[in-house]
Amino acid sequence: MTTFTDENSALGDLNNASNSTTVGLGVPVSVGVILATIIYLICRDTGAHSIGIAIGLVAGMVVMSLCFMSEKERQMLTENDEACVSQQDPTVVKTGNGLWLKLQGLFLVSAVPVFLGLVFFGDPVFQLYLEAKGAYSF
């Protein structure tokens, strides 16, 4: 049976600088760019603009909500030497609506300009999509 010498050895070092309470830009922006490109290609190919855009935005908000939940769970890990979570300072865990709004905002700020840019300047991207679709169709 595995035993650990201290409470942080099983979870890793919780007091390091990389375990901060800030949300990075990588996940929301990359999800926004990828989802906006997929929405554009599907809408342009099928012509279902009204339903495709709505489904894409809802899917992006769901993904960002899942990121919020994982960030909330990560921040709920104890970051000090207190024996009980109830003895912690309540300001240590910052998982309010501000974090959720920040994730949603970062997603929308990245998805909307990419989608609008593709609508106006996306013909080369759509041509590459059609060539790839034709190459893989049997």
Side-chain angles (χ1 to χ4, degrees):
M1 180 154 121
T2 307
T3 58
F4 298 101
T5 57
D6 64 353
E7 67 274 2
N8 288 333
S9 62
L11 297 174
D13 185 16
L14 295 176
N15 294 324
N16 62 9
S18 66
N19 195 14
S20 62
T21 59
T22 60
V23 177
L25 292 173
V27 173
V29 170
S30 62
V31 168
V33 168
I34 291 169
L35 200 57
T37 305
I38 291 171
I39 292 170
Y40 168 75
L41 293 174
I42 291 173
C43 290
R44 181 99 186 256
D45 192 27
T46 62
H49 295 283
S50 60
I51 191 76
I53 294 171
I55 289 173
L57 288 177
V58 168
M61 289 182 181
V62 167
V63 169
M64 289 301 103
S65 294
L66 291 174
C67 289
F68 166 72
M69 292 305 292
S70 68
E71 183 70 17
K72 183 178 174 180
E73 292 294 324
R74 185 184 70 81
Q75 289 180 12
M76 288 177 66
L77 294 173
T78 58
E79 294 184 355
N80 55 15
D81 294 333
E82 298 292 333
C84 182
V85 174
S86 64
Q87 294 174 352
Q88 274 188 317
D89 182 18
T91 60
V92 171
V93 180
K94 302 174 186 174
T95 58
N97 292 333
L99 179 64
W100 184 79
L101 287 173
K102 181 178 179 180
L103 284 168
Q104 298 295 345
L106 288 171
F107 163 71
L108 290 174
V109 162
S110 63
V112 171
V114 169
F115 182 75
L116 291 177
L118 286 171
V119 166
F120 293 112
F121 307 109
D123 285 335
V125 175
F126 187 65
Q127 292 302 323
L128 288 172
Y129 167 74
L130 289 177
E131 290 174 11
K133 185 178 173 183
Y136 289 113
S137 64
F138 295 108

